[in-house]
Amino acid sequence: MTAEPARSASDPTPASLTAVEDLVESSIKMILDHQAGTGAYPASPTFSAYAGYCWFRDGSFIADAMSAVGHPESAEAFFDWCARIIEAREGQIRDIVALALAGTPAPDADMLPTRYTFAEEEGSEEWWDFQLDGYGMWLWALGEHRRRYQTDLTRWSRAIGLIVEYLCSSWRRPCFDWWEEFAEHTHVSTLGSIAAGLSSIATADVLPEELVSTARQSVEEIMGLIGSEGVHAGHLTKWIGSEEVDASLLALIAPMSVIEAGSTVAVATVREIENRITDGNGVYRYAADTYYGGGQWPLLSCFLGLAHASAGHHGRAREILDWAATTAGADGSLPEQVDWRLLAPEHFAPWVERWGKPADPLLWSHAMFLRLAAELRLVRQLTTPSHSEDAE
């Protein structure tokens, strides 16, 4: 365990336990109130570019948070939504896998999209769609849910098997990153998300042995690539061959635990992110970010808090949680980002003109606040796993 960072004299006074618990409860209500009848979680119910859509990435983290705070039925409704989408595209997935194995990969436009409508349809608008990370996160969230509740994953086994084959055949391909940018690169956070999902589901007793072996082999190769080409000066990098960091890398430390929190790589990565893309307790996506002027994202601060909590730095993690709480509006809504200390303020107005004000609320922000609060045991009446394996 590394030494916990000291609190400076200028650090904010911790929020009261009641204030944190109130924001936890309002965050749970926010997510439940907006979850669609199909099980989909809207990325943001009001933001122009996100409204009406659910991402596998955002949704998987939201489902994991709801599972962690004692709402397994919400998480499972999302898992069901994902499974129906995957099963409906079985033919497409099998074609993609066959082409990859034949050495003639499908074009990016034919790969699975990153977001779907609540009704499980693909969007009609042009989008930066080819992203692999969310499908790995879905597998990881399923594995975490099973760990908490001993849930039988059989009802999702067909979809799980399809996605394992899809990822094992495609993980080497460059694609858009978490931020739907830089499609020409192979992103370390994407690789780690895939490894987390494959590793988690390989131990879930839901796959045939041959596919378990394939998944484990892919994990070994992915982690080998990260170790050999995704590390610079001791820290994880934004993409293979880069020297930069990206806040999405924090998720590989916690909650996905692909990189052990006390390892030298994890410690160096956290230090580099805090030195280069953190101001106070607010974390930026990456140093050259210009989206809405490059603001600080509460959900990324919560990932930083989770990394610290996993390393045993609970005081530092609580300090970060308190900062995230200060970004909430009067109605308790947590935004995608805040414009308090922008990296590129000249880019803020053009984005507002294009899409309106930044997303607020963002359900993913509420989810990561919940996940960090649960890790710090600041959730009122956190239920212990007692969920029926047969629940529908």
Side-chain angles (χ1 to χ4, degrees), residues 101-297:
L101 293 177
T104 55
D108 289 358
D110 291 345
M111 302 295 283
L112 296 178
T114 189
R115 66 177 196 168
Y116 299 86
T117 68
F118 304 160
E120 302 156 24
E121 299 172 349
E122 297 176 23
S124 57
E125 303 93 344
E126 186 175 348
W127 199 258
W128 306 271
D129 249 333
F130 175 36
Q131 301 168 42
L132 293 168
D133 56 270
Y135 296 97
M137 292 167 188
W138 180 66
L139 296 178
W140 165 77
L142 279 164
E144 287 296 286
H145 187 70
R146 174 181 179 272
R147 179 185 61 79
R148 291 188 189 101
Y149 295 95
Q150 295 77 52
T151 304
D152 183 356
L153 303 185
T154 301
R155 86 187 205 222
W156 301 294
S157 61
R158 179 181 163 203
I160 289 169
L162 287 168
I163 289 303
V164 168
E165 291 187 56
Y166 177 74
L167 293 175
C168 288
S169 70
S170 304
W171 67 262
R172 295 173 181 80
R173 297 179 58 148
C175 66
F176 289 109
D177 64 4
W178 279 31
W179 316 125
E180 302 175 327
E181 299 174 335
F182 306 110
E184 70 276 18
H185 293 292
T186 302
H187 302 276
V188 174
S189 58
T190 295
L191 291 172
S193 298
I194 295 170
L198 294 176
S199 179
S200 178
I201 214 66
T203 63
D205 300 321
V206 72
L207 295 172
E209 189 56 41
E210 181 179 352
L211 202 49
V212 169
S213 178
T214 301
R216 287 175 172 162
Q217 178 64 32
S218 293
V219 171
E220 183 178 342
E221 293 175 6
I222 291 168
M223 297 310 296
L225 178 60
I226 291 175
S228 63
E229 300 183 45
V231 175
H232 172 77
H235 63 79
L236 296 172
T237 60
K238 184 171 173 60
W239 58 66
I240 295 299
S242 173
E243 297 181 4
E244 301 300 315
V245 289
D246 189 290
S248 60
L249 296 167
L250 292 165
L252 308 193
I253 301 168
M256 291 193 285
S257 303
V258 172
I259 305 296
E260 198 277 317
S263 67
T264 56
V265 170
V267 171
T269 300
V270 170
R271 182 171 60 245
E272 195 74 4
I273 286 172
E274 291 195 309
N275 288 342
R276 297 177 65 175
I277 55 173
T278 303
D279 188 349
N281 291 310
V283 180
Y284 300 99
R285 299 193 304 174
Y286 56 94
D289 188 17
T290 61
Y291 178 60
Y292 277 99
Q296 296 165 305
W297 289 48

Side-chain angles (χ1 to χ4, degrees), residues 82-102:
C82 294
R84 289 193 299 270
I85 287 171
I86 294 162
E87 289 170 4
R89 289 157 181 79
E90 180 171 358
Q92 178 185 358
I93 293 170
R94 296 210 179 280
D95 287 345
I96 290 168
V97 172
L99 287 169
L101 293 177

